[in-house]
Amino acid sequence: MQNGFQVRLRGVSKAYDDGSTRHDVLNAVDLDVASGEMVALLGPSGSGKSTLLNIIAGLDAPDGGTVEVSGRDLAGMSERARTLLRRRDIGFVFQFFNLIPTLTVLENIRLPLELTGRRDPGPARELLERVGLAGRERAFPEELSGGEQQRIAIARALAHEPRLLLADEPTGNLDSATGARVLDLLTRLVRERGAAMVIATHSSDVVDRADRVLTLHDGAIAGGT
Amino acid sequence: MIPILLRAGARYHLRHRWQLVLALLGVALGVAVVVAVDVATTSARRAFVMSTEAVSGRSSHEILGGPDGIADSVYVRLRRTFPASIALAPIIDRYVSLPSHDGRVLRLLGVDPFAEAPFRDFLGTRDSRLDVERPAVEAPLDIGVLITTRSLVFARATAADMNLSVGDSVQVAFAASTHIAVVGAIFEPRDDASRLAVADIVFADIATAQELTMRPAAAGEAGGGTIDRIEVRALTDHADSAIAAFRTALPVGLRLIESEARAGATARLTRAFDTNLTALALVALVFGMFLIYNSVSFSVVQRRPLFGLLRAQGVTRREIFAQIIVEAGALGVIATIIGIAVGSALGSVLVHLVSRTINDLYFAVTVGAVRLETITFAKAAVLGVGATVAAAMPPAFEALRAPPRAALARAVLERRTSRSAPRLAAGGIAAALAAALLLSIPSRSITLAFAGLFVLILAGALVTPATTILLMRLLRPFAARFGAVGRMATGGVTASLSRTAPAIAALAVALAVGIAVTLMIVSFRSGVVRWLDQSLQADIYVAAPGVGADRTGVTLDSRLAPTLRGVPGIAGVSTYREVSLLLDQADPVRNPEPNLVRGAQPDLVRMLAFDPFERHRAAFEVLDVPAGGAWRAFDNGAVLISEPLAYRRAIGAGDVISLPTDRGSALFTVAGVYRDYASEHGVIFMPRATYEAWWRDRAITSLAVFVRDDVSTDEVIAGIRELPAARGVIIRPNRGLREATLQVFDRTFLITGVLRLLALIVAFVGVTGALMALQLERARDVGVLRTLGLTPLQVWSLITSQTALMGLSAVILAVPLGIAMSWAMVHVINRRSFGWSFDLILVGAPFVQALAVGIAAAVLAGLYPALRMARVRPAQVMRGE
């Protein structure tokens, strides 16, 4: 559906310095993700999965290496250009849902649409229906269960039809049955739209559904299938 | 702007209602105080200006005579000399009181109905702006009514207010005499402006006014009475040249002034008073700004993860910045609307205090209506919304710096604040130096002085974080004696420095203002008491009753002084003749056109022709003494001038000043400068003999009586009351006058006290809000502590001891800041505003008061969150987070 979109990382490294010690989080990571491809990132806590997602989204800058999204080097883009890239092309799903507590369910889904200038609530309503929460438009996030909140977060991440979806342990905060249902929904919707997806996870369910599985260990990609 | 984000922002504020209410309250109160002061001062000034304009009519110039006025015959002569090109109208303009109507004070305007047409439309001409009607006759007012003996004309509102109808009798008191007059007519002004302008004016024919105000014939003039001034209007197309020609033909002793000059000089009398009130009101607004800063920065800090999330969703920095500013602007608008409403109500209360002080100290004014001027609205809007948006700028920039990630540890922000403390302290020291520089610039600008004071306040605020860190370090060993809770209390204050420092700074500034104002008033009062002790040397003071501060038109019976000198038991009598002189601001020493006072900045000063009893000379503390002594010079015809006049005009002993006399402009040597707190605009003491040599006036305004040591003062007073020449005069023993003076002093500072209290309330609300925000923000920490086993009582003591420590920090900061501010108020602001000097006296009471208020405010502010946190169930808080 969406052709020509590609994420390309070469020699990406990142370290954090807490004043006394330097921690290498990513170490010369190379990664390519193509349109419609689903890549699962495995690795223990602190292995650099979230940092890698943040760097791909332009939320964090690498210390070394290059990141190209859709052929454009993020390092050469201004802060504003990176923000607009995210607004247009990237969707995010977080472990802790991160819905906006002061917006209703429908408004949360509409947010990325409004950011891109689309005021029509139709697509948001349709997505709400797709994630099985039709009728809860006016509810606030705090009135929903964890699974429901994550379904709304998925709807929000996909509302503006991004070409890349980044998911950071989207089932990490859900029980296994709910997690499985959420994952089903996520993969189905992403695949329908032909978007690329990078998903950081511990879940074996994700591994089963992914096109490619990469394992991060000590900041480097240790293995892949 | 993204509407959905605005909606989210609005809901955030509605969900944090208490925080919203406190923020609104802080700014609203700040705006309210500014509006109230503005309403009060402008209403008083407006009442004065409007009635002056109504009185001045269309005159372009006025002719002023000497203190005893202008003889009728001079007016008649002038009228004959300039029949065609110059219109003239005689005026008597005095304040009278009506004993039959609760002593109500009205401005009596005596006019010549036949000369009125070119000047005012009030009285019965066809093109009347004001419809004049009589209940019996529906026609315009008959001039015959006006010229009927002792007939007065009232505006309908004034008459209704006093329950007067045509034909009613009223008592009219002026100086020591009271006459009966009749309500001849009542008229209805056509519009609101006219209604307001004439609200406290009563009209009478010039002859009636002369009789009521006891205007005798001027000295050296046969027959007729005197008038206060003559209004002038050129009726030709070449007004300037006609006026110039007219001026050259004026007899010696008469001065032609621009009409605006006299009104302006009177209105300007209250300028320093108004400026000082406004500055105090601005202090309240500054606290409001602290509050909004606290509140907005809290809302930003609380939403940092949210902003991070929005940034991850593709919301730009500019959009987040705009959202915060728009939110603050909306808060500012709502708070300003509330502030204007509260301020108008408060203003109508304050206006009584302000007008009473103006009456006590400056000129007689009755404020008939309190109205909000457009400019007040504009000021309130600019200050309220502007201050709110300005206060929201730092947190909005802080939000910009938030990296676009969902979570940034709060610790990072706190670390950043702690790290910036030394830098802020350095900035504070620089600000303190800048303040010292601003305050020491040898200028007379009050604005510059207040700028210095505000920079000083800024310095206090900037050093707060570093001082707090230092103080908590010093207190930690002591607090540790109370175990973990004690250690956590000191640690908690520095751990949340981004929240605690602004709250401490706001409280410290509020307390410092309290200390400074109290020290200033205490020092000033003690100066006044010392001055009264020295200057009130006589045992008895005798004066004709005046209206408020206007005493120049009231005189005593000329027989009284000689009679008193002959009374057994009286050792001696000093006489005073008090007159007002209009001095051209431009150059009092060498005035090129002494008989023309232009519109620009003339000064009204009081001059007293003084014939002192020998013992009376000790009453003067002469500050600037020429070689040979001030009194020797005085006895040789030189004048003593008061400290404020010397300061404002930069003149000292030995200098020469030019004064307008009945014999034209004359030069007088300054014998010395003496300490005086009676008038900020200046007093000149002239030897009676010199006065009589230059002025025709022989009247006496008041007397100071010295009683022999072996005689009782009360007996002498009783004796004086028996004298026919003393009928109706005010006789006060030394103590009575001293008490009356101190009463006026205390009344003057009543309004300062009210404003200080309001400022403290605003600060208190601000601090309460900040502390509540801080403590409620820590709900999760408290939940953790409760999970770890802290009892509700321990939680309560932890929070209250933290807030008490913050209160203590504020007090410790407030002490040096308060002293520095009081120094600036005493030596710079008072000096420049009023021209007088007094020593700064450090007394303990304001400091003890600050300690009590500071800690009580902080503990009270922490009470609610402490109770709420102590009651909270840990699991609930943790889940809620």
Side-chain angles (χ1 to χ4, degrees), chain B residues 458-478:
Chain B
L458 179 72
L462 287 175
V463 298
T464 302
T467 316
T468 307
I469 294 173
L470 197 68
L471 203 64
M472 290 305 124
R473 269 189 206 151
L474 290 173
L475 284 173
R476 193 167 297 158
F478 172 75

Side-chain angles (χ1 to χ4, degrees), chain B residues 107 270 356 361-362 375 392 430 486 590 617 638 736 738 757 791:
Chain B
R107 190 169 184 177
T270 62
R356 197 166 59 178
L361 302 180
Y362 303 104
I375 185 80
R590 287 173 300 278
R617 297 177 182 223
R738 185 190 144 100
L757 186 69
T791 64

Side-chain angles (χ1 to χ4, degrees), chain A residues 195-217:
Chain A
M197 175 155 75
V198 181
I199 180 165
T201 185
H202 288 299
S203 161
S204 55
D205 281 357
V206 177
V207 174
D208 295 342
R209 290 175 170 81
D211 299 321
R212 227 162 12 120
V213 177
L214 301 173
T215 308
L216 265 176
H217 191 72

